[in-house]
Amino acid sequence: MSAPGSDDKEQEDKKERIDRELIELLNELRVALPGVQVLFAFLLVLPVSQGFTKVDAVGRAIYFVSLLAAAAASALLIAPSSYHRLHFRSGDKEHILLTSNRWAIAGLVFLELAISGAIFVISGLLFDNTIASVVAAGTALWFTYFWYVFPLARKRTHSGTS
């Protein structure tokens, strides 16, 4: 039992911390994966839908980039689970954690691109490409702020006070 006011995380050893952080990462990926899988499925079905014939050349190019980004996001967000399974009991859990963390961050970047691209394609069907560009850019900025700017700013200010 830890003393009042002490942080339980200070009481864990390196192995316990790595185990906890890997579990946390894999749990976080369980949140992101359904979203990327649904988006990827939507993008796979879109070209065979009746309305896709109305998508212009720009929309088709952005659609294709979005499809590839969703595929990349899927690969990168699933890779940590595969890596962990293939290196099970290898004694290299810290490397698995650090590598998987990088893959997860990269996967989120690709997911943001895929979402913004899908927003462009759908907005382009509803409005013109100028409005679609503004909406897609706004979407990308929204995700960038909440996924990167805010957390990194908080990390910077928080680490400056420690």
Side-chain angles (χ1 to χ4, degrees), residues 10-98:
E10 291 176 9
Q11 304 299 321
E12 66 186 1
D13 65 20
K14 183 178 179 180
K15 182 190 178 313
E16 291 170 332
R17 179 185 52 79
I18 291 168
D19 287 345
R20 176 184 51 79
E21 289 177 353
L22 186 59
I23 289 167
E24 288 174 358
L25 175 65
L26 294 173
N27 283 335
E28 291 163 0
L29 293 173
R30 286 188 190 116
V31 172
L33 277 170
V36 75
Q37 289 170 328
V38 168
L39 176 62
F40 192 43
F42 163 76
L43 291 169
L44 287 171
V45 172
L46 188 61
V48 296
S49 70
Q50 192 173 10
F52 194 73
T53 58
K54 298 176 190 168
V55 176
D56 65 9
V58 172
R60 287 175 188 266
I62 291 177
Y63 160 79
F64 188 65
V65 169
S66 298
L67 179 68
L68 295 177
S74 295
L76 288 164
L77 293 173
I78 293 170
S81 295
S82 174
Y83 193 29
H84 183 250
R85 279 298 97 210
L86 292 171
H87 285 269
F88 183 66
R89 294 188 177 168
S90 68
D92 200 16
K93 206 175 268 191
E94 185 172 19
H95 185 264
I96 293 168
L97 173 64
L98 295 173

Side-chain angles (χ1 to χ4, degrees), residues 116-117 119-120 123 131-141:
S116 299
I119 293 290
F120 177 90
S123 297
I131 292 173
S133 296
V134 170
V135 172
T139 301
L141 289 171

Side-chain angles (χ1 to χ4, degrees), residues 86-148:
L86 292 171
H87 285 269
F88 183 66
R89 294 188 177 168
S90 68
D92 200 16
K93 206 175 268 191
E94 185 172 19
H95 185 264
I96 293 168
L97 173 64
L98 295 173
T99 302
S100 295
N101 184 63
R102 288 185 201 104
W103 288 342
I105 292 168
L108 291 173
V109 170
F110 281 105
L111 178 56
E112 178 182 351
L113 291 171
I115 291 170
S116 299
I119 293 290
F120 177 90
V121 173
I122 299 304
S123 297
L125 284 171
L126 300 173
F127 309 103
D128 63 30
N129 282 350
T130 302
I131 292 173
S133 296
V134 170
V135 172
T139 301
L141 289 171
W142 182 263
F143 278 87
T144 298
Y145 176 76
F146 285 106
W147 286 4
Y148 308 105

